[in-house]
Amino acid sequence: MSNVLSSQETAVHGVHDAHHEHHHHETFLTKYIFSQDHKMIAKQFLITGIIWAIIGGLFSVIFRFQLGYPDASFPWMEDLLGKWAPGGKLSPEFYYALVTMHGTVLVFFVLTAGLSGTFANFLIPLQIGARDMASPLLNMLSYWFFFLASVIMVASLFVQTGPASGGWTVYPPLSAIGDASIGSKIGMDLWLVSMAMFIVSSLLGGLNYITTILNMRTKGMSMTRMPLTIWALFFTAVLGVLSFPVLLSGAILLLFDRNLGTSFFLSDLIVAGKVLPNEGGSAILFQHLFWFLGHPEVYIILLPAMGMASEILSVNSRKPIFGYMAMVASLFAICILAFLVWAHHMFVTGLNPFLGSVFVLLTLLIAVPSAIKVFNWLTTLWRGNIRFTPGMLFAIGFVSLFISGGLTGIFLGNSALDIHLHDTYFVIAHFHIVMGVASFFGMYAGVYHWYPKMFGRYLNNTLAYIHFWVTLVGAYLIFWPMHYQGLAGVPRRYYDFSNWESFKQFNGLNEFISVVALVVFAVQLLFVFNFFYSIWKGRKVTDPNPWKSNTLEWTTPIRPGHGNWEGEIPEVHRWAYDYSKDGKDFIPQTEPVGADESKH
Amino acid sequence: MASTAIPAGTKWWSGGKSPFNASYGKIMMWYFLMSDAFTFGAFLISYGTIRFSVNHWPDPNYVFNAFPFAGHANLPLAFVSLMTFILIFSSVTMVLAVHEGHKMNRKGVEKYMILTILGGLAFLGCQAWEWTHLITGDHAVLVNGQIEKWGTTVTRNPFGPEVLHNGQMVSTPGPIAFGGYFFGITGFHGFHVFSGVVINIIMYIKTRLGHFDQRGHYEMIEKAGLYWHFVDLVWVFVFLCFYLI
Ligand code: HEM
Ligand SMILES: [Cu+2]
């Protein structure tokens, strides 16, 4: 496993500590637990993310039971949740805890850490031609801070007063006053501490991704020859490094409000008949701080999926990606605009209407780069020689979902319409389709596509096809009807709608959604089974380049060791998208440009 | 590094080398500082929005007019100017340490690192004094018709608007956001100074042990220097926001 370091690596890697010695004997502990190999760290993120996804998904299944069957009681629920489901009926307090934790877990722990952590770690060094991340040590620490955050968040589930329950956006005053609700007590403190650890983790990861991409590209890998995955992961890291610190500030101030009696976010409150001493703070201020992260965050979740979909669509259409530079430019535009639209989540907070209209304009501008991306994906597919591998199906599904969910964003981005739609199921439908499910599809596409590189085996195809079709149809069946509920005014974050005459019409629909949700969840477990089963029992990879792809990761051995390439790192002579060119099916990036070759 | 001749026409971005001719560690430090700047930015902007939305804010010339061993000497901003001077001076010594590092002069690095560390510690000492003075101070405040004696804490502020009471002007409780933001932000900055001092001490020890001589360069000192200058720069903003306006 020992690798000779090329002199070139030494050059980019700083003059000092250029060698992470590969000669030493690896023990179980250094190989699997405290590993500094980016590929192993990626797997750690992925498997932790899968565990979190099961937990977070289970939360939603449980609260969907409540929404689908508000009058029924389920003895198994009492067995499972004890005092939180007396008599087998979910308590309202725990309903809120579940919604909050579902959002927190899926947004941050699965689709941020699980997604970026996995694919940035796995793909960046492999696709740019580096032996490892710039700093393998910080990379390892990034995982362990994430692990610590996870442990704290899990612990918060088991405290006596339950976990945080003020929504994943933790708005004060609910989150700032311990007495405001049962879920505002120690669970909320743990939430904040856990998020602080999470932010450290994402900072360490992000710094590494950025510097690795800037500094450690192999010879010939100019920025404009990088695969779009890398561009997307680069912008994701920049977004994270510049937006998470603002949430950190908000979280620190919130912790002070909770524990030191300050009034950053509190003013003139009466709780349980008692006038609180707090004055002069502003709850809206917290919303600004939160959404300054919150909106970039949705793109932190989406961009990696976009990058991977671009790559997978091109490989499996056997066609160059359409409009490479336009794809990079639109990623860049999204990255900039992401910082300038946060107040579209706050149209109904009493925001100055003029300011509101500025944010409407900026928000709707995002539709432009988004549309460019969509058209380029479609044109890439156009007349392609399409191979419907599971990865490809999920990538196409991603495009479908991004269109469906993006269109409703245009409704919401209009402040006048948003007065009606805000805090209804329309918003739930919007962001689950465009962010939740779409990013999951991007992640699945990535897992199916790069699994052979990760584990040297294939996932089972039959299970994969079942997984894809049930998930795609199921996701639309779950979230499409929610648009109608939202338009009819059904508010989000309600425990029970049975007291409203006007919402009775949705009883059947709610039950239907809950049943489909259960089925979709079950199919995800099928994927989890496939994932772990195939690690040991999957069909072995025999071809080092199973998808006939141009990118560098397929020039490594089937099971690359620490250091990735056995000899020298290959040099790069062209971009990553020479498919079906000059009569050749594909031309890897390592192939020198021929004298009579046509331009792409 | 500095001595390496760079051939003309080098393609910086074409891979195989750092486009900025800088090691990964320095680039990481730069991005970290950008990130940290956003943390401070968020704090300071929050402070600004609250400060300018309340009607009355304590006058810094009055609040910060004390000096050690001189009590309420009515020396507006004298002490904080001293603090600022100390911090800026420690930045200068840091520059000199980096400079000595370039010359591979271990003794010189050691000398200036010691001075930088002392500067940092002196600043922290000053801050401790200032905080103690504010918290333990007692100012007459009119509360519910009674005169009480208050210091400044995160939950109370004795520097509110003045009213006439028994023929005398007394202040009433002021906005408590003052203490919260003041202690919160200067505390967060102080925490950065503290971490900087710890880093500098580690750098000093590593210099003493000859680690950098063995490596053949003093880049770690440069990185610590970047952080130290950043902390200094942030202080300038904190100083501006809390003491000058
Ligand atoms: C053209 C593009 C888009 C526009 C104009 C848009 C607009 C909006 C607006 C105005 C809201 C606030 C609705 C409300 O609370 O009343 C919203 C919510 C949301 N959007 Fe989008 N959006 C777009 C694309 C996206 C994308 C691509 C993502 C994620 C990848 C996303 C994720 C979210 C999330 C997570 C929320 C709700 C957060 C919450 O309140 O819990 N949106 N969107
Ligand atoms: Cu948004």
Side-chain angles (χ1 to χ4, degrees), chain A residues 291 294-299 338 341-345 363 366 430:
Chain A
W291 286 114
H295 187 82
E297 168 67 11
V298 304
Y299 284 100
V341 299
W342 77 90
H344 67 210
H345 296 273
T363 299
I366 297 196
H430 161 66

Side-chain angles (χ1 to χ4, degrees), chain A residues 71 150 233 254 256 391 498:
Chain A
D71 305 320
S150 298
L233 291 165
L254 197 51
F256 285 174
S498 42

Side-chain angles (χ1 to χ4, degrees), chain B residues 4-113:
Chain B
T4 341
I6 297 158
T10 306
K11 290 211 178 73
W12 286 107
W13 288 89
S14 65
K17 60 173 119 10
S18 162
F20 305 108
N21 201 25
S23 73
Y24 78 86
K26 262 202 222 168
I27 295 186
M28 243 180 209
M29 181 55 90
W30 276 108
Y31 271 91
F32 167 71
L33 296 181
M34 253 155 65
S35 176
D36 214 24
F38 271 65
T39 317
F40 274 108
F43 280 136
L44 289 174
I45 290 172
S46 304
Y47 159 72
T49 55
I50 296 302
R51 166 160 181 181
F52 292 108
S53 69
V54 297
N55 292 326
H56 183 274
W57 200 257
D59 175 8
N61 286 319
Y62 177 68
V63 179
F64 306 106
N65 68 356
F67 208 87
F69 311 113
H72 286 269
N74 199 14
L75 295 166
L77 304 188
F79 187 59
V80 71
S81 304
L82 175 69
M83 283 168 73
T84 308
F85 177 76
I86 292 174
L87 202 60
I88 290 181
F89 192 77
S90 79
S91 245
V92 173
T93 54
M94 187 48 133
V95 171
L96 294 171
V98 172
H99 188 64
E100 295 297 323
H102 281 158
K103 293 196 295 194
M104 299 295 293
N105 176 6
R106 182 156 71 95
K107 282 276 170 282
V109 176
E110 277 171 22
K111 177 171 105 197
Y112 288 117
M113 284 312 281

Side-chain angles (χ1 to χ4, degrees), chain A residues 571-584:
Chain A
E571 236 179 82
V572 165
H573 301 280
R574 56 177 75 237
W575 74 335
Y577 297 105
D578 275 335
Y579 292 104
S580 308
K581 189 186 176 203
D582 293 347
K584 289 202 195 111

Side-chain angles (χ1 to χ4, degrees), chain A residues 46-62 102 105-106 110 440 443-444 521 524-529 531-532:
Chain A
L46 180 57
I47 289 171
T48 317
I50 288 177
I51 294 169
W52 267 125
I54 297 172
I55 297 174
L58 200 62
F59 290 160
S60 67
V61 168
I62 296 174
H102 166 74
V105 165
L106 282 144
V110 180
F440 252 101
M443 178 143 108
Y444 283 136
F521 180 72
Q524 308 315 303
L525 294 181
L526 193 67
F527 164 78
V528 175
F529 168 76
F531 183 90
F532 287 106

Side-chain angles (χ1 to χ4, degrees), chain A residues 270-334:
Chain A
I270 302 176
V271 172
K274 246 182 39 206
V275 181
L276 298 187
N278 306 87
E279 48 141 76
S282 159
I284 306 285
L285 175 63
F286 180 84
Q287 298 193 15
H288 281 293
L289 294 177
F290 182 87
W291 286 114
F292 188 86
L293 156 87
H295 187 82
E297 168 67 11
V298 304
Y299 284 100
I300 291 172
I301 288 173
L302 194 70
L303 294 192
M306 284 182 160
M308 292 192 288
S310 308
E311 172 72 16
I312 293 168
L313 286 172
S314 170
V315 172
N316 291 298
S317 310
R318 312 310 295 162
K319 271 185 67 190
I321 189 84
F322 187 88
Y324 175 86
M325 281 317 282
M327 289 303 239
V328 175
S330 54
L331 283 174
F332 179 64
I334 288 176

